[in-house]
Amino acid sequence: MSACKRLLYIVKHRGIWPSIWRRNVTTWSPVGAAFNAKPHRRLELFEKNVGLFGVPELSSPAGFEVTTKRALKDTQELVDKVCSSPPGAVTVETFDQLSDGLCKVADLADFVKVAHPDPSFREAAEKTCIEIGTVVEKLNTNVDLCRSLKNLLDNKDVFAQLDPETRKVAELFMFDFAISGIHLDEKLRKEAVKLHVKLLDLNNEFLMGSHLPNRIAKSAIPEYIHCHFATEGSFIQIGGLHAESSNDLVREVAYRIFLYPNADLMECLEELLKCRNKLAKLVGYESYAHRALQGTMAKTPETVMNFLQLLTDKLSERTAIDFEMIKDMKTKLNPLNAELMPWDPPYFSGVLRAERYNIEPSLYSPYFSLGSCMEGLNSLFTKLYGVSIMSEHPSAGEVWNDDVRKLAVVHETEGLLGYIYCDFFHRANKPHQDCHFTIRGGRQCQESGQYQLPVVVLMLSLPHPTKSAPTLLTPSMMENLFHEMGHAMHSMLGRTRYQHITGTRCATDFAEVPSILMEYFATDYRVVNQFARHYQTGQPLPQSMVARLCESKKVCGAADTQLQIFYSALDQMYHGKPQNRSTTDILKDMQHKFYGLPYTPNTAWQLRFSHLIGYGAKYYSYLMSRAVASMVWKQCFVQDPLNRDMGERYRREMLAHGGGKEPMLMVEGSGTSVLDCLVPEPFARIQYLSWHEESF
């Protein structure tokens, strides 16, 4: 074999994982080895660049313009087709094909614009997002396009012959037309499109600004805490709250500086909220919240606020006790500065948990190497669904960073289900939020007869492996990994006919249920025992340590929940009927009513509330989904979290449908009884009882 051929063979068959840490008792599985390896830069001298995610045009930033033009050309052809076809199943299929063509470009670009390390790629992707977004808003007010769908819905004989999923998708497309103002006259429709386009820019501006660090002159803060922050010449840069710091002054400085008001961003937020309200009023809703909630489980802002108020009432005594415990701990550790402030609870509640249950993260991390956690997920999915996750070597140019791993998700009888790209490691200019991105939705392609496999990205911000150890996760990192993988498997296990309802494309207050349910698996010893092994000795994590970890979660649980209630109430107020006061004044009021700790002057936490973009008027979804997940866990998995029959039932009744079935009906199918939840007061009562009885 020639030297050149030998090099090609090594590159092809050994890939980028040349070495892994060995453990004494067992060996890593392939998926565990892939994630416990320290990646090396791959040799791509002889490989063709296949482009990001295997899209050939995206081997360079200029490819975004090419893919955008092609998508828009295909869109026009499909619009012409659907407008000239008689009503029938083909109407819905063409609508979905049209939606898929735009989403495949826009969703990919939406990820690249925030995650790619190359600014030129990010800029090209952002331009594509705006261009595609503008076209989508125009399509949502296209009268001829809407008429073709309305002809189908109005033809009762033809509509009745469609299968339930097709009927549901047709209704969802019509709902999109309705909330976009299709019923308005031409002048007002154009106004609605202008507002949508303006909101695309405002959303992007606020989202980017909310993650930017603030800075302060070094001379303005004591020199001995400079080492806790990044420096830039004569300035200190503060890009987060440093909530876990043991130094009171570090937490306070970070809180006051990171949350210091930015006049431009404040103006952006206020304009964004005004535009959202104006759009909602224009298309016939009382407020933006009424418009946003129509397609959710909660249905109305009144239901949400009733839910939040009843939760607050139920938690008030326990929350007060939690704050008193936190204050006592602060007094004990710092008697000269004992007043409880908003920057204190995360740190001192952690101290309380550690003191009571000895849950220092460093004691757990050796058992939670990233590779072992991935092995655990693989084992869990195999037992529940007959699904394996297998590491694949990405082709040249397919991924945006050398440490991105590619997983194939394979069912024991159904074959390949889709792909998950794992962007798990910290890098400069990468968002710190853990999140899931849909790159391509699953759908049955009528044009080819094949199933379009879903593609997703999971993004975390984990530490890199070192020369002496693989990446070791804290318990909270491990839970976050399980949470995000819950989103990914929702996308993989759904086999919907239409991409418009695939996987996580469902009601927002239901979309978090599968991911939160995964947190229950992550803290059940019967599951954890399957994979938690010391990376050096192979010894299993003692059951007593898992029990202490679970018990520790109850410490200050009411205060943690109350903080989420405050965020949810603030979100509702911002998107409710306009008030003649600033966003900061509204925040002060909501913080007083729904949290209790004092507002800190000259801070604007709302400017860091990036969830206002993706979850506008729907931030409560985390609380609601957690309650539903609790009910599903108790009904299906608490007796045996590895039960294959229950796993299959859960997939069949809930995961498989994506957004193609009403969430309440899916929950009913899982064996729970929550139809009373449609009535606001029982809803809140059931939510509280199902979620909090085991905690409080």
PDB file of all heavy atoms in Angstrom, residues 224 245-252 325-341 343-344 347-348 351 355:
ATOM      1  N   TYR A 224      -9.007  43.489  43.895  1.00  0.00           N
ATOM      2  CA  TYR A 224      -8.888  42.083  44.269  1.00  0.00           C
ATOM      3  C   TYR A 224      -9.966  41.195  43.636  1.00  0.00           C
ATOM      4  O   TYR A 224      -9.853  39.955  43.663  1.00  0.00           O
ATOM      5  CB  TYR A 224      -8.898  41.918  45.801  1.00  0.00           C
ATOM      6  CG  TYR A 224     -10.246  42.080  46.473  1.00  0.00           C
ATOM      7  CD1 TYR A 224     -11.069  40.972  46.687  1.00  0.00           C
ATOM      8  CD2 TYR A 224     -10.686  43.324  46.919  1.00  0.00           C
ATOM      9  CE1 TYR A 224     -12.301  41.111  47.316  1.00  0.00           C
ATOM     10  CE2 TYR A 224     -11.909  43.466  47.550  1.00  0.00           C
ATOM     11  CZ  TYR A 224     -12.713  42.365  47.743  1.00  0.00           C
ATOM     12  OH  TYR A 224     -13.926  42.503  48.366  1.00  0.00           O
ATOM     13  N   SER A 245     -20.814  32.316  42.427  1.00  0.00           N
ATOM     14  CA  SER A 245     -19.594  32.756  43.111  1.00  0.00           C
ATOM     15  C   SER A 245     -19.815  32.823  44.619  1.00  0.00           C
ATOM     16  O   SER A 245     -20.853  33.294  45.093  1.00  0.00           O
ATOM     17  CB  SER A 245     -19.164  34.127  42.590  1.00  0.00           C
ATOM     18  OG  SER A 245     -18.064  34.616  43.341  1.00  0.00           O
ATOM     19  N   SER A 246     -18.817  32.409  45.370  1.00  0.00           N
ATOM     20  CA  SER A 246     -18.909  32.461  46.835  1.00  0.00           C
ATOM     21  C   SER A 246     -18.619  33.857  47.375  1.00  0.00           C
ATOM     22  O   SER A 246     -18.853  34.135  48.552  1.00  0.00           O
ATOM     23  CB  SER A 246     -17.930  31.461  47.459  1.00  0.00           C
ATOM     24  OG  SER A 246     -16.595  31.785  47.073  1.00  0.00           O
ATOM     25  N   ASN A 247     -18.115  34.738  46.518  1.00  0.00           N
ATOM     26  CA  ASN A 247     -17.768  36.095  46.932  1.00  0.00           C
ATOM     27  C   ASN A 247     -18.985  37.006  46.767  1.00  0.00           C
ATOM     28  O   ASN A 247     -19.462  37.234  45.656  1.00  0.00           O
ATOM     29  CB  ASN A 247     -16.593  36.605  46.082  1.00  0.00           C
ATOM     30  CG  ASN A 247     -16.051  37.930  46.573  1.00  0.00           C
ATOM     31  OD1 ASN A 247     -16.790  38.895  46.709  1.00  0.00           O
ATOM     32  ND2 ASN A 247     -14.743  37.975  46.813  1.00  0.00           N
ATOM     33  N   ASP A 248     -19.484  37.551  47.881  1.00  0.00           N
ATOM     34  CA  ASP A 248     -20.680  38.407  47.841  1.00  0.00           C
ATOM     35  C   ASP A 248     -20.502  39.595  46.909  1.00  0.00           C
ATOM     36  O   ASP A 248     -21.418  39.961  46.163  1.00  0.00           O
ATOM     37  CB  ASP A 248     -21.010  38.928  49.249  1.00  0.00           C
ATOM     38  CG  ASP A 248     -21.567  37.846  50.155  1.00  0.00           C
ATOM     39  OD1 ASP A 248     -21.710  36.709  49.684  1.00  0.00           O
ATOM     40  OD2 ASP A 248     -21.861  38.142  51.325  1.00  0.00           O
ATOM     41  N   LEU A 249     -19.320  40.198  46.947  1.00  0.00           N
ATOM     42  CA  LEU A 249     -19.097  41.397  46.138  1.00  0.00           C
ATOM     43  C   LEU A 249     -19.044  41.055  44.647  1.00  0.00           C
ATOM     44  O   LEU A 249     -19.540  41.823  43.814  1.00  0.00           O
ATOM     45  CB  LEU A 249     -17.799  42.094  46.563  1.00  0.00           C
ATOM     46  CG  LEU A 249     -17.526  43.442  45.873  1.00  0.00           C
ATOM     47  CD1 LEU A 249     -18.665  44.418  46.127  1.00  0.00           C
ATOM     48  CD2 LEU A 249     -16.200  44.029  46.340  1.00  0.00           C
ATOM     49  N   VAL A 250     -18.470  39.914  44.304  1.00  0.00           N
ATOM     50  CA  VAL A 250     -18.436  39.491  42.894  1.00  0.00           C
ATOM     51  C   VAL A 250     -19.858  39.331  42.368  1.00  0.00           C
ATOM     52  O   VAL A 250     -20.193  39.801  41.272  1.00  0.00           O
ATOM     53  CB  VAL A 250     -17.645  38.171  42.738  1.00  0.00           C
ATOM     54  CG1 VAL A 250     -17.857  37.579  41.344  1.00  0.00           C
ATOM     55  CG2 VAL A 250     -16.163  38.409  42.986  1.00  0.00           C
ATOM     56  N   ARG A 251     -20.712  38.682  43.156  1.00  0.00           N
ATOM     57  CA  ARG A 251     -22.110  38.494  42.724  1.00  0.00           C
ATOM     58  C   ARG A 251     -22.817  39.834  42.584  1.00  0.00           C
ATOM     59  O   ARG A 251     -23.555  40.076  41.621  1.00  0.00           O
ATOM     60  CB  ARG A 251     -22.868  37.607  43.706  1.00  0.00           C
ATOM     61  CG  ARG A 251     -22.384  36.175  43.792  1.00  0.00           C
ATOM     62  CD  ARG A 251     -23.409  35.276  44.490  1.00  0.00           C
ATOM     63  NE  ARG A 251     -23.852  35.811  45.764  1.00  0.00           N
ATOM     64  CZ  ARG A 251     -23.211  35.672  46.917  1.00  0.00           C
ATOM     65  NH1 ARG A 251     -22.065  34.993  46.939  1.00  0.00           N
ATOM     66  NH2 ARG A 251     -23.691  36.184  48.045  1.00  0.00           N
ATOM     67  N   GLU A 252     -22.600  40.722  43.540  1.00  0.00           N
ATOM     68  CA  GLU A 252     -23.272  42.015  43.499  1.00  0.00           C
ATOM     69  C   GLU A 252     -22.799  42.856  42.319  1.00  0.00           C
ATOM     70  O   GLU A 252     -23.613  43.442  41.588  1.00  0.00           O
ATOM     71  CB  GLU A 252     -23.041  42.782  44.803  1.00  0.00           C
ATOM     72  CG  GLU A 252     -23.717  44.159  44.802  1.00  0.00           C
ATOM     73  CD  GLU A 252     -23.540  44.913  46.106  1.00  0.00           C
ATOM     74  OE1 GLU A 252     -22.970  44.339  47.060  1.00  0.00           O
ATOM     75  OE2 GLU A 252     -23.974  46.092  46.168  1.00  0.00           O
ATOM     76  N   MET A 325     -34.609  30.584  55.257  1.00  0.00           N
ATOM     77  CA  MET A 325     -33.473  29.667  55.361  1.00  0.00           C
ATOM     78  C   MET A 325     -32.253  30.234  54.632  1.00  0.00           C
ATOM     79  O   MET A 325     -31.123  30.156  55.124  1.00  0.00           O
ATOM     80  CB  MET A 325     -33.829  28.305  54.762  1.00  0.00           C
ATOM     81  CG  MET A 325     -34.786  27.477  55.594  1.00  0.00           C
ATOM     82  SD  MET A 325     -34.838  25.736  55.037  1.00  0.00           S
ATOM     83  CE  MET A 325     -35.289  25.933  53.312  1.00  0.00           C
ATOM     84  N   ILE A 326     -32.495  30.797  53.455  1.00  0.00           N
ATOM     85  CA  ILE A 326     -31.403  31.370  52.673  1.00  0.00           C
ATOM     86  C   ILE A 326     -30.790  32.549  53.422  1.00  0.00           C
ATOM     87  O   ILE A 326     -29.560  32.700  53.491  1.00  0.00           O
ATOM     88  CB  ILE A 326     -31.910  31.801  51.282  1.00  0.00           C
ATOM     89  CG1 ILE A 326     -32.344  30.582  50.470  1.00  0.00           C
ATOM     90  CG2 ILE A 326     -30.825  32.563  50.524  1.00  0.00           C
ATOM     91  CD1 ILE A 326     -33.083  30.913  49.191  1.00  0.00           C
ATOM     92  N   LYS A 327     -31.650  33.376  54.006  1.00  0.00           N
ATOM     93  CA  LYS A 327     -31.165  34.532  54.769  1.00  0.00           C
ATOM     94  C   LYS A 327     -30.346  34.078  55.983  1.00  0.00           C
ATOM     95  O   LYS A 327     -29.308  34.665  56.302  1.00  0.00           O
ATOM     96  CB  LYS A 327     -32.339  35.400  55.217  1.00  0.00           C
ATOM     97  CG  LYS A 327     -31.937  36.705  55.888  1.00  0.00           C
ATOM     98  CD  LYS A 327     -33.168  37.544  56.205  1.00  0.00           C
ATOM     99  CE  LYS A 327     -32.780  38.909  56.751  1.00  0.00           C
ATOM    100  NZ  LYS A 327     -32.004  38.836  58.002  1.00  0.00           N
ATOM    101  N   ASP A 328     -30.822  33.036  56.656  1.00  0.00           N
ATOM    102  CA  ASP A 328     -30.086  32.522  57.813  1.00  0.00           C
ATOM    103  C   ASP A 328     -28.696  32.026  57.409  1.00  0.00           C
ATOM    104  O   ASP A 328     -27.716  32.238  58.129  1.00  0.00           O
ATOM    105  CB  ASP A 328     -30.872  31.381  58.478  1.00  0.00           C
ATOM    106  CG  ASP A 328     -32.105  31.873  59.212  1.00  0.00           C
ATOM    107  OD1 ASP A 328     -32.208  33.100  59.451  1.00  0.00           O
ATOM    108  OD2 ASP A 328     -32.971  31.039  59.527  1.00  0.00           O
ATOM    109  N   MET A 329     -28.617  31.381  56.268  1.00  0.00           N
ATOM    110  CA  MET A 329     -27.329  30.893  55.809  1.00  0.00           C
ATOM    111  C   MET A 329     -26.407  32.054  55.466  1.00  0.00           C
ATOM    112  O   MET A 329     -25.212  32.033  55.774  1.00  0.00           O
ATOM    113  CB  MET A 329     -27.515  29.978  54.587  1.00  0.00           C
ATOM    114  CG  MET A 329     -26.215  29.454  53.990  1.00  0.00           C
ATOM    115  SD  MET A 329     -25.149  28.582  55.186  1.00  0.00           S
ATOM    116  CE  MET A 329     -26.091  27.071  55.421  1.00  0.00           C
ATOM    117  N   LYS A 330     -26.958  33.101  54.848  1.00  0.00           N
ATOM    118  CA  LYS A 330     -26.129  34.262  54.540  1.00  0.00           C
ATOM    119  C   LYS A 330     -25.658  34.939  55.831  1.00  0.00           C
ATOM    120  O   LYS A 330     -24.494  35.359  55.923  1.00  0.00           O
ATOM    121  CB  LYS A 330     -26.908  35.266  53.679  1.00  0.00           C
ATOM    122  CG  LYS A 330     -26.045  36.460  53.255  1.00  0.00           C
ATOM    123  CD  LYS A 330     -26.768  37.417  52.321  1.00  0.00           C
ATOM    124  CE  LYS A 330     -25.820  38.541  51.889  1.00  0.00           C
ATOM    125  NZ  LYS A 330     -26.471  39.523  50.986  1.00  0.00           N
ATOM    126  N   THR A 331     -26.538  35.029  56.802  1.00  0.00           N
ATOM    127  CA  THR A 331     -26.166  35.626  58.092  1.00  0.00           C
ATOM    128  C   THR A 331     -25.052  34.823  58.760  1.00  0.00           C
ATOM    129  O   THR A 331     -24.116  35.385  59.342  1.00  0.00           O
ATOM    130  CB  THR A 331     -27.389  35.698  59.021  1.00  0.00           C
ATOM    131  OG1 THR A 331     -28.423  36.450  58.385  1.00  0.00           O
ATOM    132  CG2 THR A 331     -27.038  36.346  60.346  1.00  0.00           C
ATOM    133  N   LYS A 332     -25.175  33.502  58.648  1.00  0.00           N
ATOM    134  CA  LYS A 332     -24.174  32.617  59.251  1.00  0.00           C
ATOM    135  C   LYS A 332     -22.806  32.812  58.605  1.00  0.00           C
ATOM    136  O   LYS A 332     -21.779  32.859  59.300  1.00  0.00           O
ATOM    137  CB  LYS A 332     -24.639  31.169  59.102  1.00  0.00           C
ATOM    138  CG  LYS A 332     -23.634  30.125  59.571  1.00  0.00           C
ATOM    139  CD  LYS A 332     -24.175  28.724  59.311  1.00  0.00           C
ATOM    140  CE  LYS A 332     -23.140  27.657  59.635  1.00  0.00           C
ATOM    141  NZ  LYS A 332     -23.660  26.299  59.337  1.00  0.00           N
ATOM    142  N   LEU A 333     -22.797  32.955  57.291  1.00  0.00           N
ATOM    143  CA  LEU A 333     -21.526  33.063  56.572  1.00  0.00           C
ATOM    144  C   LEU A 333     -21.001  34.488  56.493  1.00  0.00           C
ATOM    145  O   LEU A 333     -19.798  34.703  56.351  1.00  0.00           O
ATOM    146  CB  LEU A 333     -21.677  32.494  55.157  1.00  0.00           C
ATOM    147  CG  LEU A 333     -22.017  31.002  55.062  1.00  0.00           C
ATOM    148  CD1 LEU A 333     -22.118  30.574  53.610  1.00  0.00           C
ATOM    149  CD2 LEU A 333     -20.972  30.167  55.787  1.00  0.00           C
ATOM    150  N   ASN A 334     -21.902  35.462  56.567  1.00  0.00           N
ATOM    151  CA  ASN A 334     -21.494  36.860  56.446  1.00  0.00           C
ATOM    152  C   ASN A 334     -22.380  37.736  57.335  1.00  0.00           C
ATOM    153  O   ASN A 334     -23.244  38.461  56.849  1.00  0.00           O
ATOM    154  CB  ASN A 334     -21.595  37.310  54.985  1.00  0.00           C
ATOM    155  CG  ASN A 334     -20.920  38.646  54.750  1.00  0.00           C
ATOM    156  OD1 ASN A 334     -20.479  39.318  55.688  1.00  0.00           O
ATOM    157  ND2 ASN A 334     -20.849  39.063  53.494  1.00  0.00           N
ATOM    158  N   PRO A 335     -22.188  37.665  58.650  1.00  0.00           N
ATOM    159  CA  PRO A 335     -23.067  38.388  59.582  1.00  0.00           C
ATOM    160  C   PRO A 335     -23.045  39.901  59.410  1.00  0.00           C
ATOM    161  O   PRO A 335     -23.984  40.583  59.830  1.00  0.00           O
ATOM    162  CB  PRO A 335     -22.527  37.978  60.963  1.00  0.00           C
ATOM    163  CG  PRO A 335     -21.134  37.505  60.716  1.00  0.00           C
ATOM    164  CD  PRO A 335     -21.143  36.897  59.353  1.00  0.00           C
ATOM    165  N   LEU A 336     -22.011  40.464  58.798  1.00  0.00           N
ATOM    166  CA  LEU A 336     -21.932  41.914  58.621  1.00  0.00           C
ATOM    167  C   LEU A 336     -22.702  42.391  57.387  1.00  0.00           C
ATOM    168  O   LEU A 336     -22.859  43.597  57.179  1.00  0.00           O
ATOM    169  CB  LEU A 336     -20.465  42.350  58.517  1.00  0.00           C
ATOM    170  CG  LEU A 336     -19.591  42.037  59.738  1.00  0.00           C
ATOM    171  CD1 LEU A 336     -18.153  42.501  59.490  1.00  0.00           C
ATOM    172  CD2 LEU A 336     -20.160  42.717  60.989  1.00  0.00           C
ATOM    173  N   ASN A 337     -23.174  41.451  56.569  1.00  0.00           N
ATOM    174  CA  ASN A 337     -23.910  41.817  55.360  1.00  0.00           C
ATOM    175  C   ASN A 337     -25.015  40.791  55.144  1.00  0.00           C
ATOM    176  O   ASN A 337     -25.004  40.011  54.192  1.00  0.00           O
ATOM    177  CB  ASN A 337     -22.961  41.847  54.152  1.00  0.00           C
ATOM    178  CG  ASN A 337     -23.644  42.291  52.881  1.00  0.00           C
ATOM    179  OD1 ASN A 337     -24.665  42.971  52.913  1.00  0.00           O
ATOM    180  ND2 ASN A 337     -23.091  41.878  51.750  1.00  0.00           N
ATOM    181  N   ALA A 338     -25.993  40.802  56.046  1.00  0.00           N
ATOM    182  CA  ALA A 338     -26.969  39.722  56.121  1.00  0.00           C
ATOM    183  C   ALA A 338     -28.241  39.964  55.325  1.00  0.00           C
ATOM    184  O   ALA A 338     -29.072  39.062  55.200  1.00  0.00           O
ATOM    185  CB  ALA A 338     -27.339  39.466  57.587  1.00  0.00           C
ATOM    186  N   GLU A 339     -28.438  41.143  54.774  1.00  0.00           N
ATOM    187  CA  GLU A 339     -29.671  41.401  54.030  1.00  0.00           C
ATOM    188  C   GLU A 339     -29.709  40.543  52.766  1.00  0.00           C
ATOM    189  O   GLU A 339     -28.743  40.458  52.019  1.00  0.00           O
ATOM    190  CB  GLU A 339     -29.775  42.879  53.651  1.00  0.00           C
ATOM    191  CG  GLU A 339     -31.084  43.214  52.938  1.00  0.00           C
ATOM    192  CD  GLU A 339     -31.186  44.681  52.547  1.00  0.00           C
ATOM    193  OE1 GLU A 339     -30.210  45.433  52.779  1.00  0.00           O
ATOM    194  OE2 GLU A 339     -32.235  45.075  52.004  1.00  0.00           O
ATOM    195  N   LEU A 340     -30.849  39.899  52.546  1.00  0.00           N
ATOM    196  CA  LEU A 340     -31.001  39.031  51.393  1.00  0.00           C
ATOM    197  C   LEU A 340     -31.300  39.854  50.151  1.00  0.00           C
ATOM    198  O   LEU A 340     -32.250  40.627  50.110  1.00  0.00           O
ATOM    199  CB  LEU A 340     -32.127  38.022  51.629  1.00  0.00           C
ATOM    200  CG  LEU A 340     -32.258  36.890  50.609  1.00  0.00           C
ATOM    201  CD1 LEU A 340     -30.987  36.049  50.576  1.00  0.00           C
ATOM    202  CD2 LEU A 340     -33.464  36.018  50.937  1.00  0.00           C
ATOM    203  N   MET A 341     -30.479  39.688  49.117  1.00  0.00           N
ATOM    204  CA  MET A 341     -30.602  40.458  47.887  1.00  0.00           C
ATOM    205  C   MET A 341     -30.856  39.530  46.702  1.00  0.00           C
ATOM    206  O   MET A 341     -30.613  38.323  46.788  1.00  0.00           O
ATOM    207  CB  MET A 341     -29.337  41.289  47.662  1.00  0.00           C
ATOM    208  CG  MET A 341     -29.030  42.270  48.792  1.00  0.00           C
ATOM    209  SD  MET A 341     -30.379  43.465  49.069  1.00  0.00           S
ATOM    210  CE  MET A 341     -30.242  44.468  47.575  1.00  0.00           C
ATOM    211  N   TRP A 343     -29.255  38.799  44.142  1.00  0.00           N
ATOM    212  CA  TRP A 343     -28.120  38.024  43.636  1.00  0.00           C
ATOM    213  C   TRP A 343     -27.697  36.911  44.595  1.00  0.00           C
ATOM    214  O   TRP A 343     -26.742  36.182  44.320  1.00  0.00           O
ATOM    215  CB  TRP A 343     -26.923  38.940  43.363  1.00  0.00           C
ATOM    216  CG  TRP A 343     -26.560  39.860  44.506  1.00  0.00           C
ATOM    217  CD1 TRP A 343     -25.827  39.555  45.615  1.00  0.00           C
ATOM    218  CD2 TRP A 343     -26.933  41.231  44.648  1.00  0.00           C
ATOM    219  NE1 TRP A 343     -25.709  40.638  46.440  1.00  0.00           N
ATOM    220  CE2 TRP A 343     -26.387  41.697  45.862  1.00  0.00           C
ATOM    221  CE3 TRP A 343     -27.678  42.118  43.863  1.00  0.00           C
ATOM    222  CZ2 TRP A 343     -26.561  43.004  46.322  1.00  0.00           C
ATOM    223  CZ3 TRP A 343     -27.851  43.415  44.313  1.00  0.00           C
ATOM    224  CH2 TRP A 343     -27.294  43.855  45.520  1.00  0.00           C
ATOM    225  N   ASP A 344     -28.409  36.744  45.713  1.00  0.00           N
ATOM    226  CA  ASP A 344     -28.009  35.780  46.737  1.00  0.00           C
ATOM    227  C   ASP A 344     -28.601  34.372  46.612  1.00  0.00           C
ATOM    228  O   ASP A 344     -27.892  33.382  46.861  1.00  0.00           O
ATOM    229  CB  ASP A 344     -28.349  36.326  48.128  1.00  0.00           C
ATOM    230  CG  ASP A 344     -27.454  37.485  48.543  1.00  0.00           C
ATOM    231  OD1 ASP A 344     -26.287  37.489  48.126  1.00  0.00           O
ATOM    232  OD2 ASP A 344     -27.931  38.370  49.287  1.00  0.00           O
ATOM    233  N   TYR A 347     -26.669  31.139  45.005  1.00  0.00           N
ATOM    234  CA  TYR A 347     -25.476  30.664  45.699  1.00  0.00           C
ATOM    235  C   TYR A 347     -25.822  30.035  47.042  1.00  0.00           C
ATOM    236  O   TYR A 347     -25.406  28.904  47.340  1.00  0.00           O
ATOM    237  CB  TYR A 347     -24.479  31.796  45.906  1.00  0.00           C
ATOM    238  CG  TYR A 347     -23.332  31.386  46.801  1.00  0.00           C
ATOM    239  CD1 TYR A 347     -22.388  30.460  46.369  1.00  0.00           C
ATOM    240  CD2 TYR A 347     -23.220  31.891  48.103  1.00  0.00           C
ATOM    241  CE1 TYR A 347     -21.360  30.050  47.196  1.00  0.00           C
ATOM    242  CE2 TYR A 347     -22.187  31.483  48.939  1.00  0.00           C
ATOM    243  CZ  TYR A 347     -21.261  30.558  48.480  1.00  0.00           C
ATOM    244  OH  TYR A 347     -20.252  30.144  49.307  1.00  0.00           O
ATOM    245  N   PHE A 348     -26.587  30.754  47.880  1.00  0.00           N
ATOM    246  CA  PHE A 348     -26.827  30.258  49.237  1.00  0.00           C
ATOM    247  C   PHE A 348     -27.770  29.056  49.269  1.00  0.00           C
ATOM    248  O   PHE A 348     -27.666  28.211  50.170  1.00  0.00           O
ATOM    249  CB  PHE A 348     -27.346  31.393  50.127  1.00  0.00           C
ATOM    250  CG  PHE A 348     -26.288  32.395  50.474  1.00  0.00           C
ATOM    251  CD1 PHE A 348     -26.295  33.661  49.916  1.00  0.00           C
ATOM    252  CD2 PHE A 348     -25.256  32.070  51.332  1.00  0.00           C
ATOM    253  CE1 PHE A 348     -25.312  34.589  50.214  1.00  0.00           C
ATOM    254  CE2 PHE A 348     -24.253  32.983  51.642  1.00  0.00           C
ATOM    255  CZ  PHE A 348     -24.283  34.249  51.078  1.00  0.00           C
ATOM    256  N   VAL A 351     -25.430  26.320  48.778  1.00  0.00           N
ATOM    257  CA  VAL A 351     -24.711  26.031  50.022  1.00  0.00           C
ATOM    258  C   VAL A 351     -25.578  25.184  50.952  1.00  0.00           C
ATOM    259  O   VAL A 351     -25.102  24.214  51.560  1.00  0.00           O
ATOM    260  CB  VAL A 351     -24.288  27.341  50.722  1.00  0.00           C
ATOM    261  CG1 VAL A 351     -23.703  27.042  52.106  1.00  0.00           C
ATOM    262  CG2 VAL A 351     -23.268  28.105  49.878  1.00  0.00           C
ATOM    263  N   GLU A 355     -24.612  21.516  52.233  1.00  0.00           N
ATOM    264  CA  GLU A 355     -24.418  21.304  53.671  1.00  0.00           C
ATOM    265  C   GLU A 355     -25.312  20.185  54.194  1.00  0.00           C
ATOM    266  O   GLU A 355     -24.886  19.344  54.989  1.00  0.00           O
ATOM    267  CB  GLU A 355     -24.710  22.603  54.428  1.00  0.00           C
ATOM    268  CG  GLU A 355     -24.447  22.507  55.924  1.00  0.00           C
ATOM    269  CD  GLU A 355     -24.763  23.804  56.652  1.00  0.00           C
ATOM    270  OE1 GLU A 355     -25.967  24.052  56.891  1.00  0.00           O
ATOM    271  OE2 GLU A 355     -23.829  24.571  56.957  1.00  0.00           O
TER     272      GLU A 355
END
